[in-house]
Amino acid sequence: MHLERDIDLKPFNTFGIHARADALGRFGDVSTLREMLKATDGLQRLILGGGSNILLTQDFHGVVLMNGISGIELVREDADHVWVKAGAGIVWHDLVLYFVQRGWGGVENMSLIPGKVGAAPMQNIGAYGVELKDVFHELEALRVDDGEVVHFDKVACAFGYRESFFKRAGKDRFVILNVTLRLSKHPVLNTSYGNIKQELERRGVSTPSLVDVSEAVIAIRQSKLPDPAVIGNAGSFFKNPVVSAEVAQRIRAEYADMPGYPTGDGLVKLAAGWLIEKAGWKGYREGAFGVHAAQALVLVNHGGAAGKDIFELSTHILADIQERFGVELEREVNIL
Ligand code: FAD
Ligand code: EPU
């Protein structure tokens, strides 16, 4: 077991923020993780995947533990489905490509979401009408308190929109080791969301395959979302707010073009990006940080910004949206 001391975390977060950690250790298996937890007992710890959903607002006075658990295993198969267990340290998009290439459907709409498999259950990642929970079977996690490996089924994970047990009551108490997904051998494609259909038409594809859908999603994402290798960001900074039908109606009385999606329980999900754009923030820039010019839901580091500047900007945006629309936004990104 080896811990590196006084580390700059810039290469390990997609916002590209400079912040120091007292120490950093890498684990690729459960026994190394157990050793590291024992050796760092009493210290503050941060389990890190790809660092694509965190904002570092200060130095981290503790130990960063980087998950490198690999391995993809076919654990079960029947006429219609495969169950595949994937190590938490695998890059999510690599796993998506692995499935797409084998003709196993279910995750193609979640192509190109950055980060690692182990973080996917944290906020029940989602895109283009599909969420992790739709293909999730179970996961194994190490309980930090006693080092025991615990199984979680879908109910125990308490998945919601960008929510799970691990983001709430289970926060900092478990290290996700692997995730088992159930994929379909006879995939039914979901092309109705956003402009997947238009993108397929533009490409001249009339009977799409899993690869076609994956490539269409990748192209749409690349046209909207900044590449963290070029502009620092962590994807959507806020969640899309879910409001009462009355609140949605009140705003729509003033703005007839406001997008809104009924959630089926009398509530309406609004587009935070639309609200932020309407409030005039899209493309806003203050020195090294600002709001992405093509997607107002994404806060960006143009290079050299401090995490606390981006956090403060998010506070101004929260207050402005509350004042203008009477809608409370919630940060999606994990603030450290
Ligand atoms: P990290 O940022 O490393 O960690 C996130 C949180 O999970 C931290 O609190 C960390 O402590 C915890 N954690 C990480 N691994 C483990 C583990 N093994 N056990 C316990 N806790 C753990 N998200 C979406 O849902 N949909 C999108 O479409 C989407 N698009 C994005 C686009 C861009 C350009 C970017 C930069 C981000 C986007 N995101 C999106 C957010 C991000 O990709 C996801 O949240 C992803 O799951 C984060 O993975 P990670 O490995 O980088 O997590
Ligand atoms: N919109 C605007 N202006 C903007 C951005 C969006 O008016 O600047 C409008 C769009 O025109 C559209 C609506 O808002 O009518 C929704 O926009 P989009 O389809 O781009 O998706 P989003 O709601 O902004 C969500 C997720 C993304 C995910 C996409 C695709 C959240 C918080 N974000 O974004 O996830 O990739 O849908 O499914 O739910 C992430 O979580 O990091 C993330 C990128």
Side-chain angles (χ1 to χ4, degrees):
M1 192 201 79
H2 170 68
L3 292 180
E4 300 161 52
R5 304 283 164 183
D6 192 21
I7 294 293
D8 181 2
L9 294 174
K10 182 170 183 282
F12 307 120
N13 73 99
T14 60
F15 252 124
I17 302 290
H18 278 292
R20 303 205 77 81
D22 292 350
L24 181 146
R26 298 166 200 264
F27 62 92
D29 54 64
V30 186
S31 58
T32 311
L33 171 62
R34 280 203 183 100
E35 264 180 63
M36 285 184 167
L37 290 173
K38 214 177 246 174
T40 59
D41 193 27
L43 301 177
Q44 221 192 325
R45 289 178 292 224
L46 170 66
I47 307 300
L48 198 62
S52 65
N53 206 26
I54 57 168
L55 176 65
L56 295 157
T57 59
Q58 54 191 322
D59 289 340
F60 184 73
H61 294 299
V63 184
V64 174
L65 299 180
M66 285 193 58
N67 192 330
I69 296 178
S70 60
I72 299 180
E73 191 191 339
L74 178 66
V75 289
R76 193 168 137 200
E77 182 171 8
D78 66 16
D80 301 321
H81 294 100
V82 288
W83 285 257
V84 177
K85 188 197 255 192
I90 292 172
V91 170
W92 170 260
H93 182 59
D94 290 349
L95 185 65
V96 171
L97 293 181
Y98 178 92
F99 293 146
V100 164
Q101 281 153 10
R102 282 163 179 75
W104 297 339
V107 293
E108 56 284 355
N109 290 34
M110 295 193 282
S111 295
L112 210 63
I113 296 181
K116 296 193 175 171
V117 167
M122 274 294 290
Q123 68 159 11
N124 178 29
I125 57 168
Y128 296 92
V130 180
E131 291 183 336
L132 182 81
K133 72 169 171 46
D134 301 326
V135 289
F136 181 89
H137 177 62
E138 65 170 11
L139 64 76
E140 285 182 316
L142 186 123
R143 191 160 49 211
V144 173
D145 274 359
D146 59 5
E148 286 297 310
V149 173
V150 184
H151 283 255
F152 286 81
D153 63 12
K154 204 190 284 194
V155 173
C157 289
F159 290 128
Y161 164 59
R162 297 295 190 273
E163 277 299 341
S164 77
F165 166 79
F166 301 99
K167 215 174 156 178
R168 299 288 163 188
K171 193 166 167 53
D172 298 330
R173 291 175 45 216
F174 294 90
V175 181
I176 296 169
L177 303 171
N178 58 64
V179 179
T180 301
L181 304 181
R182 191 189 75 153
L183 288 305
S184 172
K185 287 179 170 177
H186 315 288
V188 179
L189 302 180
N190 176 353
T191 58
S192 57
Y193 192 97
N195 44 353
I196 298 182
K197 267 200 190 104
Q198 290 91 312
E199 179 60 27
L200 288 167
E201 273 165 29
R202 202 185 63 77
R203 293 164 167 254
V205 178
S206 50
T207 44
S209 64
L210 288 177
V211 173
D212 293 322
V213 173
S214 172
E215 287 177 355
V217 167
I218 290 171
I220 298 166
R221 293 181 64 96
Q222 285 174 333
S223 72
K224 287 189 185 183
L225 295 165
D227 176 356
V230 182
I231 305 177
N233 75 94
S236 301
F237 199 88
F238 304 98
K239 289 186 189 182
N240 285 325
V242 178
V243 300
S244 67
E246 293 74 45
V247 170
Q249 248 163 21
R250 173 174 53 71
I251 304 172
R252 203 168 271 135
E254 199 176 338
Y255 304 95
D257 63 332
M258 183 189 71
Y261 316 93
T263 56
D265 45 8
L267 302 174
V268 182
K269 192 189 264 188
L270 304 184
W274 184 92
L275 294 169
I276 297 168
E277 177 175 349
K278 270 288 178 252
W281 290 99
K282 195 170 184 172
Y284 172 85
R285 180 164 181 172
E286 195 176 331
F289 60 94
V291 178
H292 189 48
Q295 228 296 2
L297 200 42
V298 180
L299 304 191
V300 292
N301 173 13
H302 292 286
K308 65 176 177 22
D309 292 336
I310 293 171
F311 182 77
E312 271 170 30
L313 171 62
S314 73
T315 304
H316 292 315
I317 293 174
L318 282 174
D320 193 28
I321 299 304
Q322 176 73 60
E323 197 182 312
R324 280 174 199 263
F325 300 106
V327 173
E328 192 176 347
L329 293 184
E330 188 189 338
R331 293 182 185 88
E332 192 230 68
V333 171
N334 298 282
I335 310 296
L336 288 160

